[in-house]
Amino acid sequence: MRQFPLAQLVCEQSYKPFAEELERGGLQVIADASTLAARYAVVLVLPPRQREEARALFARALSLCAPGGVVVASITNNEGAKSGEADLNQLAGLGGSLTKNHCRVFWSKPLGAAHDADLLSKWNGLDASRQILDGRFRSRPGVFAWDRIDPASALLAEHLPPDLAGKGADLGAGYGYLSAEVLARSAKVVALDLYEAEARALDLARHNLAGFEGKAELGYRWHDVTTGVPEQYDFIVSNPPFHTQSRADRPDVGRRFIAVAAEALKPGGRLYLVANRHLPYEAVLNASFGQVQVLGERDGFKVIEAIKAIPSRSPGRNAR
């Protein structure tokens, strides 16, 4: 991309770590390009694996493309490249494709009025937010566990104590399920900050917790937890990610969540964490907390309570 004038390149990226990396490269980054009243000669797309989300992204790409412009997409072969190429062909017609380095790149014909307008309208709504779980929450394709309660989070919710109080945080809050459980179960919580790297999930959480606005002060932080958090808390709950967006295992991310939680908790503060049973978190837990215990296990997951040690007071000198 360095051969092109980067000042003319607008990057849409709703995942905070990736957005920050693009910004460090000197690029203009926004969470949603639809908020700009602009159309582009070229729209570059890296479609996700979730097909409804990918089709919606193709539709949005066409909507952002200027007349005569081109949509260019790239997908690795093991992430649905052939399906993605077929989808763009169905929507707008293909101008060409090539394969290299286990990837497929393909592009539309110059866009005019020839694309399928009905299909465009249908696909535009495929990743729209919608009610799930009998209307209890709103969610959308592409968000983690978007149409269900993740079983690990459900197990953690079952083991949350009713005496949580003061100011808390939910690290990796998703669409807000765990935060809703905390607020529903613990009457003495006065404030709760939700930290989430995916902006689309955080927007959903804001909607899903609207009914609790009078119960506690709520904060919504589009934030990469691995960089640390800026405040101190009485308690923290977390179902941390343990893989990248390409599904590669990354236990180091979970370990970093634990270390950040330890830094952010006040002395005596409590962390309630759920994790895959096999993940090697014990070393960082034992190094960072005074007390650590497993509260429950099921379906390959474990719930851990970790309490931050209270520094012992050194004896003072006798007054003369």
Side-chain angles (χ1 to χ4, degrees), residues 152-161 177-178 181 185 303:
S153 294
L155 181 63
L156 176 53
E158 291 175 19
H159 288 85
L160 291 175
Y177 165 73
L178 272 178
E181 290 293 318
R185 294 163 183 259
V303 174

Side-chain angles (χ1 to χ4, degrees), residues 10-13 29-40 43 60 64:
V10 176
C11 299
E12 178 185 278
Q13 180 53 256
V29 184
I30 57 175
D32 184 355
S34 301
T35 60
L36 302 179
R39 296 294 180 266
Y40 304 92
V43 180
R60 289 189 58 247
L64 290 169

Side-chain angles (χ1 to χ4, degrees), residues 27-281:
L27 297 167
Q28 178 186 353
V29 184
I30 57 175
D32 184 355
S34 301
T35 60
L36 302 179
R39 296 294 180 266
Y40 304 92
V42 178
V43 180
L44 307 175
V45 184
L46 292 174
R49 188 167 186 170
Q50 211 284 338
R51 198 166 189 183
E52 284 187 321
E53 185 188 8
R55 284 178 164 177
L57 194 61
F58 280 135
R60 289 189 58 247
L62 259 67
S63 300
L64 290 169
C65 210
V70 175
V71 173
V72 183
S74 179
I75 309 177
T76 58
N77 291 337
N78 62 356
E79 294 284 322
K82 288 185 177 180
S83 297
E85 182 177 10
D87 283 345
L88 184 61
N89 184 33
Q90 182 183 4
L91 185 63
L94 283 185
S97 68
L98 60 88
T99 59
K100 189 176 182 180
N101 298 330
H102 308 291
C103 296
R104 184 181 296 263
V105 175
F106 47 94
W107 52 94
S108 70
K109 296 176 180 178
L111 294 178
H115 64 267
D116 189 328
D118 291 337
L119 193 63
L120 177 67
S121 176
K122 178 181 177 181
W123 284 10
N124 255 322
L126 285 179
D127 74 339
S129 69
R130 65 203 70 175
Q131 290 187 342
I132 62 169
L133 303 172
D134 297 323
R136 184 182 176 194
F137 298 103
R138 292 194 71 85
S139 188
R140 62 188 295 184
V143 172
F144 172 70
W146 79 270
D147 58 350
R148 62 194 185 279
I149 297 173
D150 171 62
S153 294
L155 181 63
L156 176 53
E158 291 175 19
H159 288 85
L160 291 175
D163 65 342
L164 293 177
K167 184 174 184 177
D170 182 352
L171 305 186
Y175 64 73
Y177 165 73
L178 272 178
S179 290
E181 290 293 318
V182 167
L183 294 167
R185 294 163 183 259
S186 302
K188 294 184 179 180
V189 173
V190 298
L192 186 65
D193 288 337
L194 286 75
Y195 290 86
E196 173 54 49
E198 176 53 62
R200 296 178 307 149
L202 197 64
D203 288 342
L204 293 164
R206 191 186 303 273
H207 174 89
N208 290 330
L209 297 184
F212 294 102
E213 290 288 348
K215 173 183 173 64
E217 181 181 349
L218 302 178
Y220 299 92
R221 312 292 178 88
W222 184 40
H223 187 79
D224 178 6
V225 169
T226 65
T227 64
V229 299
E231 299 188 38
Q232 293 285 290
Y233 297 99
D234 299 296
F235 69 90
I236 289 174
V237 299
S238 184
N239 178 4
F242 59 89
H243 52 72
T244 64
Q245 290 195 330
S246 62
R247 285 164 295 287
D249 280 353
R250 286 288 303 275
D252 59 304
V253 175
R255 288 195 292 266
R256 180 59 185 153
F257 266 60
I258 293 168
V260 168
E263 295 167 358
L265 281 168
K266 300 173 183 177
R270 292 179 284 174
L271 167 66
Y272 291 91
L273 173 87
V274 66
N276 282 49
R277 188 180 296 155
H278 72 276
L279 290 175
Y281 290 162

Side-chain angles (χ1 to χ4, degrees), residues 1-2 4-7 9 11 17-29:
M1 297 303 298
R2 297 292 169 183
F4 300 104
L6 295 185
L9 183 64
C11 299
F18 293 170
E20 290 177 339
E21 189 171 355
L22 290 166
E23 287 174 340
R24 287 193 293 271
L27 297 167
Q28 178 186 353
V29 184

